[in-house]
């Protein structure tokens, strides 16, 4: 069974941009390797080892992004009645508001307010409507105040 990766259109665009940037670095890395190789003995050549390590990281990330894009399923923004994939949700607790966007695990970045649908908060808010209470596994309770 083929795997599917849920991702927003913006997340796909970000990955495509990163992929383009990484591929553009290939000639630079190849030049570093060639220059380091010209220094002679490769067994004790730190420049060569560093350049090959950098190449390995970049090529690994390129393969990872290509695999994600190959299996990507774009999250469609639907009706704003219930929290769904791609929804931006405002939660309130004790007068404090937090806003999150519900995304797939690949795209999640809590520091940017993007939470995975597989995270405890993501699981708790999925399918909720404005005005509903959300109780997290840690016992904290929030109220859904807005869905965009």
């Amino acid at each position: 069974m083929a795997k599917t990766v849920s991702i927003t259109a913006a997340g796909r665009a970000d990955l495509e941009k990163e992929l383009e940037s990484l591929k553009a670095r290939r000639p630079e890395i190849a030049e570093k390797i060639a220059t380091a190789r010209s220094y002679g003995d490769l067994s004790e050549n730190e420049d060569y080892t560093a350049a090959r390590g950098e190449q390995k990281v970049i090529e690994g990330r390129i393969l990872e992004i290509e695999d994600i894009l190959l299996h990507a399923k774009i999250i469609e923004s639907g009706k704003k009645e219930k929290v769904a994939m791609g929804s931006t949700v405002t939660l309130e607790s004790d007068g404090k508001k937090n806003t999150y966007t519900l995304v797939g695990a690949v795209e999640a970045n809590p520091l940017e307010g993007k939470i995975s649908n597989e995270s405890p908060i993501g699981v708790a808010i999925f399918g909720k409507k404005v005005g509903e209470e959300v109780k997290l596994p840690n016992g904290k309770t929030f109220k859904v105040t807005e869905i965009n």
Side-chain angles (χ1 to χ4, degrees), residues 13-29 58-59 61-62 65:
D14 289 345
L15 284 175
E16 288 171 342
K17 185 177 178 181
E18 181 183 354
L19 180 62
E20 185 179 310
S21 172
L22 290 171
K23 285 183 175 182
R25 292 190 58 203
R26 282 176 164 164
E28 169 195 336
I29 302 293
I58 287 174
E59 291 301 325
R61 182 63 180 153
I62 287 171
I65 292 171

Side-chain angles (χ1 to χ4, degrees), residues 9 21 24 43 59 72 78 92 94 96 105 109 111 117 121 129 142:
S21 172
S43 64
E59 291 301 325
E92 185 176 346
D94 302 325
K96 184 178 174 187
N109 184 342
L111 297 176
N117 61 313
I121 296 174
K129 295 179 180 180
F142 290 90

Side-chain angles (χ1 to χ4, degrees), residues 46-67:
E46 290 182 30
D47 290 338
Y48 178 78
T49 303
R52 289 291 293 183
E54 187 177 1
Q55 180 185 43
K56 184 178 179 180
V57 169
I58 287 174
E59 291 301 325
R61 182 63 180 153
I62 287 171
L63 289 174
E64 180 183 15
I65 292 171
E66 287 176 339
D67 186 59

